Amino acid sequence: MRLLCAILFSASAAFAAISPEEIAPTKKTPFIPPAETARGEMVEAIKAYMAKEPGTFGAHASAQDFPGIVEAKERVARTVAYDSNLVHRWDTSAGNAPNLATGPDAWQETGLYAAPGEVVIVKVASIPENRVVKVIVGCHRDSLLKLDKWNRFPLINRTFELKVGDNKIANAFGGQLFIQSTHKDWRKPVKASPSTPLQFSNAVAMPTYFLGKDTPESWTKSKQNPAPWVTLIGKQVILHVQASEAKRLTDPKGLLEWWDKAMALEDDLIALTRLAPERVVPDRQISAGFMHSGYPFMCWIEPSQKDSIDLPKLTKEGNWGFFHELGHNHQSRSWTFDGQTEVTCNLFSLYVMEKLVGKPQGRGHPAMEKLDEMLAKRFAAEPNKGPFEQLATFVVLIRAHGWGPLRETLRSYASVATPKGATKEQLQSVFAERYAKAAKADVSEYFEKMGYHVEATAKASLKGLPAFKPTLPTPAK
């Protein structure tokens, strides 16, 4: 026992002795963090390192591996305007904001990049009333600290709140420079406030493309800028891509127009008034899953980065995973119930697959090819509540009534709020009733079969409508 304790203590001490500057994981040689006490000490050391004052550190040794360094020596000074009133991603006035989690405020582009370890000066003449203005360095905001293996340094994103005067901004890993404006108290409405442009100096020019503004000629010129990452900016979606990949694009116009159409369709399904584009970021390693929703929506560089800019493939095949994760960003608690988090997001996948990609109704994913099999499992004596089994029950409605009633039902929440404090059962009943009236069919029995609660008052309101009795496969035993 003493020997074992000695070995464990020795290992813990060895890990504790490793400084954050020495942690340099790569894809081929990941870093395996210690467990328990030593890990806690290491995490605190990493957080302290990433909070150091600009000018007291240089580039981290692993910045060259990821996200990349700036080879060129030239630096630029630029004045950047921003909208201090662009502070919320969603219009929550109806009380039914999309997104199961509260979304952060939008990032605004500068077209600039901070070289790893170098200090960028941001000069601020004034801060709008009731606003907090920040500069974010790096789009890779996922923390890997809780994971058991690190393929890159676990924290590579920093945020700085600006004050009037000269502000020093730096990140040991460098990164794109964004401006973020927030309310001091977002719960209280504030009057629109004009903003004074920010003056950046000692920054790196970044390849940037604005749909509707740039041309193939201006893009060819912009691609020569030395930053290792590129930003492609559409009306509805912003793509971040490594320069080595994006520079192969001769003209991003068609690509961004396709992404905008995809996002416009997702927004259309719930009548979302979009105040800022979604943001798609590929990373060496992400905090959870193959992809995950949020702002930004995160995916792995391999294979998702190439897929995100492969217009011929997107046009022909679509991408269920992209549509799925962005669908999560559109979900609402008003119509997404227990066990449906991975279900209702796929309504958006189905919608875009059909309307944009041209897949047959209710298709777009291999699992949807076995609709009858999934329905039999869903309605079995011991019902299977897997995500595709549940999605199949919605496909029955879509094939019977088209997208119109479901679209009308989902869009209704943007203008007609559900009662405050409504229970899950009450919300389920509201959804079923709204759908029934939109479809002009009494679907109460079918929704109950799906597992929804439908109140007696809702059923009474549907009297006179034809009963919906779809032909379903024999339930699995």
Side-chain angles (χ1 to χ4, degrees):
M1 180 62 71
R2 290 183 179 179
L3 177 60
L4 176 60
C5 290
I7 292 173
L8 292 175
F9 177 80
S10 177
S12 175
F15 275 117
I18 298 176
S19 69
E21 291 89 341
E22 296 175 298
I23 300 173
T26 67
K27 179 183 176 182
K28 292 184 179 180
T29 57
F31 181 84
I32 308 299
E36 300 177 0
T37 305
R39 185 187 181 104
E41 294 174 359
M42 179 176 288
V43 165
E44 292 306 311
I46 289 171
K47 290 180 178 179
Y49 171 73
M50 291 301 293
K52 292 178 69 173
E53 287 294 319
T56 65
F57 57 88
H60 192 279
S62 67
Q64 182 168 2
D65 179 68
F66 192 85
I69 60 171
V70 178
E71 299 284 358
K73 301 299 182 184
E74 64 265 26
R75 301 292 181 263
V76 299
R78 188 177 296 174
T79 299
V80 181
Y82 72 99
D83 182 359
S84 68
N85 301 303
L86 183 60
V87 293
H88 290 304
R89 296 176 62 208
W90 310 117
D91 179 359
T92 62
S93 59
N96 290 289
N99 211 354
L100 291 173
T102 302
D105 299 294
W107 301 351
Q108 300 178 53
E109 309 302 323
T110 66
L112 298 172
Y113 195 94
E118 293 188 13
V119 175
V120 175
I121 301 298
V122 183
K123 188 172 184 178
V124 181
S126 63
I127 301 290
E129 184 181 1
N130 295 322
R131 300 293 194 273
V132 174
V133 181
K134 302 175 182 178
V135 166
I136 296 169
V137 190
C139 64
H140 299 95
R141 70 181 306 174
D142 267 13
S143 169
L144 311 182
L145 289 173
K146 294 183 179 180
L147 302 185
D148 295 330
K149 179 177 70 174
W150 301 340
N151 295 337
R152 63 156 168 83
F153 197 80
L155 297 177
I156 57 173
N157 165 281
R158 290 195 68 174
T159 300
F160 296 85
E161 183 176 340
L162 300 180
K163 305 296 182 184
V164 173
D166 289 349
N167 297 262
K168 291 183 178 181
I169 306 297
N171 182 356
F173 297 88
Q176 303 92 323
L177 293 167
F178 306 101
I179 302 168
Q180 182 187 51
S181 174
T182 62
H183 290 152
K184 288 184 177 178
D185 185 350
W186 64 269
R187 297 172 183 82
K188 297 179 180 179
V190 295
K191 295 181 180 179
S193 297
S195 56
T196 303
L198 306 180
Q199 297 178 17
F200 290 77
S201 59
N202 198 44
V204 178
M206 183 175 66
T208 308
Y209 181 95
F210 282 87
L211 181 64
K213 174 182 176 182
D214 280 301
T215 63
E217 292 73 28
S218 65
W219 170 238
T220 297
K221 182 178 179 180
S222 183
K223 285 194 291 186
Q224 305 310 310
N225 290 332
W229 282 79
V230 169
T231 303
L232 306 173
I233 304 161
K235 307 298 182 184
Q236 315 278 357
V237 178
I238 296 171
L239 305 177
H240 292 284
V241 189
Q242 288 175 307
S244 58
E245 288 293 330
K247 287 181 178 180
R248 299 175 187 176
L249 296 173
T250 56
D251 185 2
K253 181 175 183 290
L255 172 70
L256 290 172
E257 287 177 339
W258 183 92
W259 271 101
D260 279 354
K261 289 176 182 176
M263 190 49 50
L265 283 167
E266 294 212 6
D267 292 351
D268 171 76
L269 199 54
I270 59 169
L272 174 66
T273 301
R274 178 168 295 282
L275 302 182
E278 292 286 353
R279 195 176 292 274
V280 182
V281 175
D283 197 340
R284 164 73 63 74
Q285 184 179 10
I286 64 176
S287 59
F290 181 68
M291 300 179 184
H292 73 72
S293 59
Y295 187 86
F297 148 43
M298 301 296 300
C299 55
W300 290 70
I301 282 181
E302 296 180 3
S304 297
Q305 176 174 248
K306 287 185 178 180
D307 288 344
S308 73
I309 59 174
D310 188 341
L311 181 57
K313 185 176 181 180
L314 290 169
T315 301
K316 181 180 179 181
E317 302 176 16
N319 191 295
W320 185 278
F322 293 155
F323 302 154
H324 169 102
E325 298 301 344
L326 291 167
H328 276 305
N329 285 355
H330 289 75
Q331 283 176 310
S332 169
R333 293 186 182 93
S334 295
W335 41 264
T336 297
F337 309 111
D338 296 345
Q340 288 189 330
T341 301
E342 298 301 323
V343 179
T344 61
C345 62
N346 280 331
L347 295 175
F348 300 89
S349 302
L350 288 174
Y351 194 59
V352 182
M353 278 293 191
E354 180 184 335
K355 302 298 183 182
L356 179 61
V357 186
K359 296 291 184 180
Q361 192 171 67
R363 301 287 180 85
H365 190 283
M368 303 311 294
E369 303 294 328
K370 302 177 181 179
L371 182 66
D372 284 349
E373 180 182 323
M374 287 184 294
L375 286 170
K377 291 179 179 178
R378 178 67 188 89
F379 295 131
E382 294 184 9
N384 185 318
K385 296 184 179 181
F388 287 105
E389 284 76 10
Q390 291 197 64
L391 184 62
T393 63
F394 284 97
V395 175
V396 170
L397 293 169
I398 294 166
R399 290 185 176 177
H401 306 124
W403 278 100
L406 183 56
R407 176 176 176 270
E408 181 179 333
T409 301
L410 293 173
R411 290 172 65 87
S412 71
Y413 291 87
S415 55
V416 183
T418 52
K420 289 185 178 180
T423 64
K424 177 187 72 174
E425 289 75 18
Q426 290 171 328
L427 291 174
Q428 287 179 337
S429 186
V430 167
F431 185 88
E433 183 178 0
R434 289 187 185 186
Y435 181 89
K437 291 180 177 178
K440 296 180 173 57
D442 184 349
V443 296
S444 56
E445 182 179 329
Y446 181 71
F447 268 88
E448 287 178 327
K449 194 175 184 66
M450 288 172 61
Y452 282 58
H453 171 79
V454 184
E455 296 183 334
T457 52
K459 292 179 181 180
S461 73
L462 304 180
K463 284 185 177 179
L465 294 176
F468 177 61
K469 294 186 178 295
T471 300
L472 300 173
T474 303
K477 294 182 180 180

